[in-house]
Amino acid sequence: MNDPVLLVIAHGSRDPRHAATVHALVRAAGALRPGLRAETAFLDFNVPSVPAVLERLAAEGAREVVALPLLLTRAFHAKADIPAVLREAPPSLRVRQAEVLGPSPLLLAAVERRLYEAGLTPADKGSTGVVLASAGSTDPEAIAVIAETARELRRTGWCAVRPAFASASLPRTEDAVRALRADGVRRVAVAPYVIAPGRLPDRIAEGAAGADVLADVLGPSPELARLLVERYDGARAEERAAAA
């Protein structure tokens, strides 16, 4: 029996860097699991769309799909948009929605990887405050997850960690940078807690003008690639448990 297809569902963006980064991440995940068929679809702005990929998979004879939201928190897209579009899948497909990516220790490891690539070292942790800058959400559950992620990052040894948001929520990145300065933090780094480039990550970068270090977006990091496969395996395990 063939394994289910992994369908990674990204939001999409008018910024071409977004789709290119998503495709690179999905390729990296597929490379970790030889034989796994990994496909990419977008909710908006980019092609292929989710319905188009589902129709194609059904036409090609696929029977099972694990749909993985490429999201760091369970906000509106994971709770409403994606389930709605998956309900319209061809009847010949069995589609199971996997959990979103966060929270996960692998995400914290990816954040630290990007901070080190930006020039910091583990020896800098005790004197460096980090702004964990996410896209933002109006969903209280999503905001709470970001706040807890910031606390978990702080527990790894950084002298201070403050969450910030590019939209929908406060504080903004520049406000969190100023707050760390006011607290006497000697070195301030901004870590974008976003997967791919786009308008909101650009806003985070603008807000980081007063920081000493700006890390890159998480992108196709090894940790994120591993996490995609982990969420795929988790969805399959849940399916087996439900059938037992």
Side-chain angles (χ1 to χ4, degrees):
M1 184 176 65
N2 291 332
D3 289 337
V5 176
L6 169 60
L7 175 60
V8 178
I9 302 177
H11 181 271
S13 170
R14 292 185 178 90
D15 189 321
R17 297 173 298 168
H18 176 92
T21 301
V22 171
H23 285 301
L25 174 58
V26 175
R27 285 195 300 271
L32 293 176
R33 182 67 58 82
L36 171 63
R37 181 173 180 180
E39 299 274 352
T40 307
F42 299 90
L43 288 174
D44 205 355
F45 302 116
N46 302 105
V47 292
S49 68
V50 179
V53 175
L54 292 173
E55 291 285 352
R56 174 168 56 80
L57 290 174
E60 292 173 357
R63 290 292 175 261
E64 293 186 70
V65 173
V66 171
L68 173 57
L70 196 64
L71 301 168
L72 298 176
T73 62
R74 287 190 71 250
F76 181 78
H77 294 303
K79 295 177 180 178
D81 287 353
I82 291 176
V85 75
L86 294 179
R87 283 194 292 270
E88 301 302 317
S92 62
L93 284 178
R94 289 181 59 197
V95 182
R96 183 174 188 88
Q97 182 174 326
E99 292 294 330
V100 297
L101 300 182
S104 169
L106 286 170
L107 289 172
L108 296 179
V111 168
E112 292 200 319
R113 171 187 292 274
R114 295 306 189 219
L115 286 167
Y116 297 150
E117 289 172 350
L120 296 173
T121 70
D124 295 320
K125 280 188 169 186
S127 59
T128 303
V130 177
V131 175
L132 187 71
S134 74
S137 174
T138 57
D139 188 302
E141 180 186 350
I143 298 302
V145 168
I146 297 299
E148 178 57 28
T149 301
R151 287 190 288 270
E152 288 294 330
L153 187 61
R154 168 69 180 83
R155 294 184 188 112
T156 69
W158 301 95
C159 78
V161 179
R162 285 179 175 263
F165 307 93
S167 70
S169 314
L170 294 174
R172 295 286 182 259
T173 302
E174 54 268 32
D175 300 325
V177 170
R178 283 194 291 267
L180 287 173
R181 296 282 192 210
D183 288 343
V185 174
R186 191 167 68 192
R187 184 190 296 107
V188 176
V190 172
Y193 194 61
V194 292
I195 294 171
R199 177 175 58 88
L200 294 179
D202 284 349
R203 190 177 295 172
I204 290 171
E206 292 167 5
D212 302 293
V213 175
L214 171 62
D216 200 357
V217 299
L218 301 178
S221 65
E223 294 82 7
L224 242 65
R226 282 177 54 201
L227 185 53
L228 263 61
V229 175
E230 190 174 282
R231 291 292 184 255
Y232 171 83
D233 288 341
R236 294 195 66 196
E238 287 181 8
E239 181 82 12
R240 289 192 291 267

